[in-house]
DNA sequence: GTGGTCTAGACCACC
DNA sequence: GTGGTCTAGACCACG
């Protein structure tokens, strides 16, 4: 269920991180449920173990998961509504919007784009 | 008038490019008016000449300016409403918003952020 | 009576070892009294036999218990005040404190934390 | 000035991280001052680039530093009294003390150990 | 030159 | 089997 866009500018480990957060928020992975093992994911996605490891390391640093060496990586309870993730997302979005404004994008164009994206699915 | 945010993740040459576009859109630089020379700008901003050169290259590639070798760089007429720039800005913004959505940011939060930014100044 | 914190970074076999020592020091297990069998404990705690076995190995290596093959594991007399255990605990604590100091934790904060912990129960 | 204990149980990247924090807190590295480059440090400490990189990555995640790709890594202002670091240090210390208590270490022994360590230097 | 990403492999402790 | 650490190399964007 995790899809990697190898052409994207977004680092692969970020894509993994984002999609796992998405899956957790969607309820696919429940609190205290074990995530797929790093090695299994790396194999499935045809990626190096360290790339996946980096994604999991960031997830743990953000308080989304916890790991038990020798056992696996698990979803932290309350991870689905992690404020830290939302805040960082908003912080990252701000300069993008500011830049779009400076380049002449009109406010309505942005709002329309957002509506379009949020209506998907 | 050009301010560089050295803390920002945005490449310096992108910041220069953006702010020159902004200055053109504001009418500070008129069509067919000469822009400051690369060397003068580099000196003034305490930057490497290559960094400024890169910004000017991109401006020309986007049809914002034209250069006459040995003479200088000039504002292209019609640059103030360059469609290419707007399109690329929108294209860059899209994955950012998609990512924010995936992380749990609500639609209203984004719209509100945009309003906040567009009300400035 | 033995509780495993599966979230903890402390290895499970260490948790078992610690809690058995605690039970011995509290007088729950008396000198020369037989401890629960490895298999029984593993079953009760829902753990792999090897994990419990490792804890018992360490207990014996530290002179807390002795085993009679085919008979069981017994509390060694004098185990309640085992100097080796205390020394190793102090040795383990030292780098932790040194690290806390380096990170800016004040002496009073540590002393207060200790008081807080020792006042429990 | 950074010394690595290759025999320690503490990961090398943690040792680097701690000592850099210590140096910042001591005023050796001032806010917005550039830290030694990852490559230079790796060379000096005879370590792999990625090991040092991991330390810097954690420093940035903890808000101690910020990096400008192509330029270097810099001390974030206010880094010297980072609350996050202190809190995590205290959180890490707690189970250690709890374990020492369970093993029979007396409260005075711990307080004495702390005094001894804080009197150094 | 700088930091950022990714791959490929090793060894370890733990379960 | 699991995750954690470390090494050794590559390539990229940026200045």
């Amino acid at each position: 269920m995790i899809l990697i866009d190898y052409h994207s500018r977004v680092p692969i480990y970020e894509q993994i991180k984002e999609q796992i957060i998405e899956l957790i928020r969607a309820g696919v992975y429940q609190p205290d449920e074990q995530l797929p093992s790093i090695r299994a994911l790396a194999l499935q996605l045809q990626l190096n173990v360290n790339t996946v490891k980096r994604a999991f390391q960031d997830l743990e640093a953000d308080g989304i998961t916890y790991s038990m060496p020798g056992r696996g990586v698990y979803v932290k309870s309350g991870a689905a509504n992690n404020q830290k993730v939302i805040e960082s997302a908003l912080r990252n979005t701000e300069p993008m919007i500011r830049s779009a404004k400076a380049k002449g994008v009109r406010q309505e164009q942005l709002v329309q784009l957002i509506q379009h994206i949020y209506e998907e699915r």
Side-chain angles (χ1 to χ4, degrees), chain A:
Chain A
M1 332 172 159
I2 291 180
L3 292 175
I4 302 302
D5 176 1
Y6 296 93
H7 297 70
S8 166
R9 242 58 181 289
V10 180
I12 293 176
Y13 70 83
E14 286 256 19
Q15 296 186 39
I16 298 173
K17 186 188 164 190
E18 269 181 26
Q19 294 190 42
I20 289 184
I21 291 177
E22 208 168 356
L23 289 171
I24 292 175
R25 288 186 16 84
V28 176
Y29 296 119
Q30 294 289 331
D32 293 312
E33 184 180 342
Q34 186 173 358
L35 292 177
S37 86
I38 291 178
R39 277 178 181 79
L41 245 184
L43 204 69
Q44 177 203 325
L45 301 177
Q46 300 271 58
L47 291 171
N48 187 283
V49 175
N50 288 320
T51 305
V52 181
K53 207 170 291 210
R54 170 70 194 272
F56 277 57
Q57 170 190 314
D58 286 12
L59 282 169
E60 186 157 1
D62 280 1
I64 311 288
T65 60
Y66 60 92
S67 66
M68 298 197 285
R71 295 177 72 93
V73 175
Y74 300 81
V75 177
K76 215 164 174 172
S77 57
N81 294 311
N82 189 297
Q83 203 56 27
K84 198 169 166 183
V85 171
I86 291 179
E87 278 166 14
S88 97
L90 277 173
R91 223 183 358 262
N92 291 337
T93 312
E94 186 173 332
M96 209 79 232
I97 291 173
R98 216 172 282 278
S99 145
K101 179 191 175 193
K103 284 172 183 162
V105 176
R106 279 173 295 112
Q107 182 169 358
E108 308 90 68
Q109 286 176 293
L110 286 177
V111 172
Q112 196 178 334
L113 174 63
I114 288 172
Q115 279 178 343
H116 180 56
I117 290 175
Y118 271 81
E119 272 164 11
E120 290 176 2
R121 186 168 342 171

